[in-house]
Amino acid sequence: MTPGAGLYSAKVAWRHSLRFRLALTYSALALVLIMLVSAGIVALLLSRMDQQFNDRLNERADALAERYTVTGRDLGRTPSGVGVYTMVIDPDGKVTGASTILRDFVDATFPFENQSRVTIQDTQVRAVKRKAGNFGTLWVGLPEDDLIAARQSALSALLVALFFTPLILLLIGWWVGKRSLSGLESAATLADRIDPTRSLETLPLPGREDEIHRLLSAINRLLVRIEAGQAREKQLLGQIVHELGAPLTVLRASLTRAGERTADPEVLRAALVADELTFTTQDLMQLARGQLEIRLAWHYIPATTLRDRLDRLVPGTTFAGSWGSGILCDPDRLTQALRNLLANGRRAAGPQGAVTLTLSETPEHLIFTVRDTGQGLPPELGERIFEPFVSGAGSSGLGLSVSRQIAVMHGGSLRGRNHPEGGAEFTLCLPNAALGDEDDVDDGSLDDPAPAILTR
């Protein structure tokens, strides 16, 4: 993986994973805290080590100065201890005596003056001075090799801890977050599968009554209120449609008869408006009932029967393809679905445009293709064009939603696209069924939506 890809993955994980954000935040805060605490501990440790070194140096210097002054023995016969550097400086600033390693400085001017740290043969030495009676000044030094090594070891340990601690904390935080949020993740997965158009399901609650438990309980209460609200809306919508249905049916029939008697264009236009309103109420009823509450009345009808019904409902439609086969369907529902597609096409094409319904057949499917010469589907809507009350042409937005619902109830599908040559094209695909023996078939309603006598 390239560094850029790794950075992009980290950004995605930061935005979309609560576990990752919690683990990363926890690790960053822990790292800062550990850095502060560790730096304080190391600083205190090094300070104590430095203080102990100074105490040791001063104790050694005091002991040597006292012994040298009291006994009066010269430096050559006074043991200064292993790893201790000593020199005696007379009042004139010359070295009169020194340890073995410093014999080269004897009878020479004291080279270090007031320096507290000097380098002797590549060794860092810390030194102090003490009065040595009549002999002058005693210079005592201790090598700092052990102190420097201890300081470097402490700093190395601190750097190693700061390097590995964030990784360990991140892994631990990720694991703890995964365990702690497992109930929330499973609830989110289940929530993604909830279909709001069907009966809403409540989310499972974790065993511990923590913040996640309270959150999911609140979501469940919200889902219950949403389901109750949807039920009330459907009930109200059904009542409204029921109240409108009967008067519209009477009005439609009356206008149709009046138009046939008088041939008045205004009356005929009013009959078409009443017809449009009637189908809109049917769409609303379909939406109010919902797919699960509707049972199809299956019939095996000639395709020409369906064509004739559509020709009367949507005048000016051009029919193409093969209409000599039979169709197993609910005639009223399938007519409603195709009529909605044709009416939308007629509305989009306008008076001068064309709407074509083509029926093609394969061994497995019957394919109804509705194409118009209008402006086409709004590309920004996409699949949302099949959602209720979503429209790109100023209509109610119910026709396409109901048509897809009817297609699915028949075991088929409905898809839409913009045709390469212009206009919109909808394809309603149904399973094809032919009858093996006409004598075994009843022309009435079929209780089983997929009878065993239907063969290809």
Side-chain angles (χ1 to χ4, degrees), residues 33-316:
L33 181 62
I34 289 174
M35 287 178 61
L36 295 176
V37 174
S38 300
I41 292 175
V42 170
L44 180 62
L45 176 62
L46 294 179
S47 176
R48 291 293 179 86
M49 293 172 59
D50 190 82
Q51 184 63 41
Q52 290 178 359
F53 186 87
N54 284 331
D55 292 343
R56 178 187 171 196
L57 175 61
N58 288 324
E59 290 175 0
R60 184 63 58 87
D62 291 340
L64 290 176
E66 181 182 1
R67 187 173 182 180
Y68 194 85
T69 301
V70 173
T71 61
R73 288 183 286 181
D74 61 12
L75 194 60
R77 293 197 296 263
T78 301
S80 57
V82 179
V84 179
Y85 300 89
T86 57
M87 287 188 291
V88 178
I89 309 161
D90 63 14
D92 296 331
K94 290 186 178 182
V95 178
T96 59
S99 301
T100 303
I101 197 172
L102 301 176
R103 289 296 183 182
D104 293 341
F105 295 100
V106 176
D107 297 331
T109 302
F110 180 65
F112 303 130
E113 297 183 357
N114 295 324
Q115 300 180 39
S116 61
R117 282 184 171 85
V118 297
T119 301
I120 300 175
Q121 296 183 353
D122 298 328
T123 301
Q124 188 76 24
V125 177
R126 187 182 302 186
V128 293
K129 293 180 180 180
R130 292 291 186 271
K131 290 293 183 180
N134 297 328
F135 295 94
T137 303
L138 179 64
W139 180 89
V140 180
L142 282 179
E144 292 185 300
D145 293 345
D146 293 341
L147 180 62
I148 294 174
R151 185 184 294 113
Q152 292 177 347
S153 298
L155 293 177
S156 299
L158 177 61
L159 293 177
V160 171
L162 294 180
F163 178 78
F164 286 103
T165 299
L167 299 178
I168 297 174
L169 290 176
L170 185 61
L171 293 176
I172 294 176
W174 179 269
W175 181 79
V176 172
K178 184 176 182 180
R179 291 288 301 272
S180 302
L181 301 177
S182 58
L184 187 59
E185 183 177 9
S186 60
T189 302
L190 179 60
D192 284 337
R193 296 198 298 264
I194 293 179
D195 184 0
T197 62
R198 299 172 181 266
S199 178
L200 298 179
E201 303 177 23
T202 56
L203 304 176
L205 300 177
R208 296 188 302 271
E209 295 188 4
D210 51 10
E211 291 82 356
I212 296 179
H213 186 283
R214 293 197 295 273
L215 173 62
L216 296 181
S217 298
I219 293 176
N220 284 339
R221 291 192 295 271
L222 177 61
L223 290 174
V224 171
R225 292 196 296 271
I226 291 175
E227 186 173 16
Q230 289 180 343
R232 289 193 298 270
E233 291 174 357
K234 288 184 177 181
Q235 183 179 9
L236 177 61
L237 184 59
Q239 292 174 350
I240 294 174
V241 172
H242 179 73
E243 294 297 328
L244 291 176
L248 282 176
T249 301
V250 175
L251 177 62
R252 176 190 176 192
S254 300
L255 289 173
T256 301
R257 289 195 298 271
E260 292 174 352
R261 290 196 307 268
T262 64
D264 188 340
E266 296 296 331
V267 175
L268 294 175
R269 187 176 300 108
L272 291 177
V273 173
D275 184 68
E276 182 76 20
L277 289 175
T278 301
F279 273 97
T280 299
T281 57
Q282 292 178 0
D283 293 341
L284 288 171
M285 182 61 73
Q286 181 94 0
L287 180 66
R289 291 176 177 175
Q291 180 176 341
L292 295 179
E293 302 177 12
I294 297 177
R295 291 180 60 86
L296 298 181
W298 293 90
H299 294 268
Y300 192 78
I301 64 172
T304 53
T305 301
L306 178 65
R307 183 187 62 189
D308 294 340
R309 295 179 66 177
L310 293 171
D311 190 28
R312 290 194 301 270
L313 293 173
V314 189

Side-chain angles (χ1 to χ4, degrees), residues 317-323 338 342 355-361 366-371 425-428:
T317 301
T318 300
F319 295 92
S322 175
W323 292 85
L338 291 174
L342 293 173
V355 179
T356 304
L357 173 59
T358 304
L359 174 60
S360 57
E361 182 180 7
L366 288 174
I367 303 171
F368 297 88
T369 303
V370 177
R371 183 189 170 193
E425 181 181 80
F426 289 92
T427 302
L428 193 154

Side-chain angles (χ1 to χ4, degrees), residues 10-34:
K11 289 181 179 179
V12 172
W14 171 263
R15 293 203 322 266
H16 299 290
S17 174
L18 178 60
R19 292 197 307 267
F20 183 80
R21 293 200 303 272
L22 289 176
L24 193 59
T25 304
Y26 162 74
S27 301
L29 293 176
L31 176 61
V32 172
L33 181 62
I34 289 174

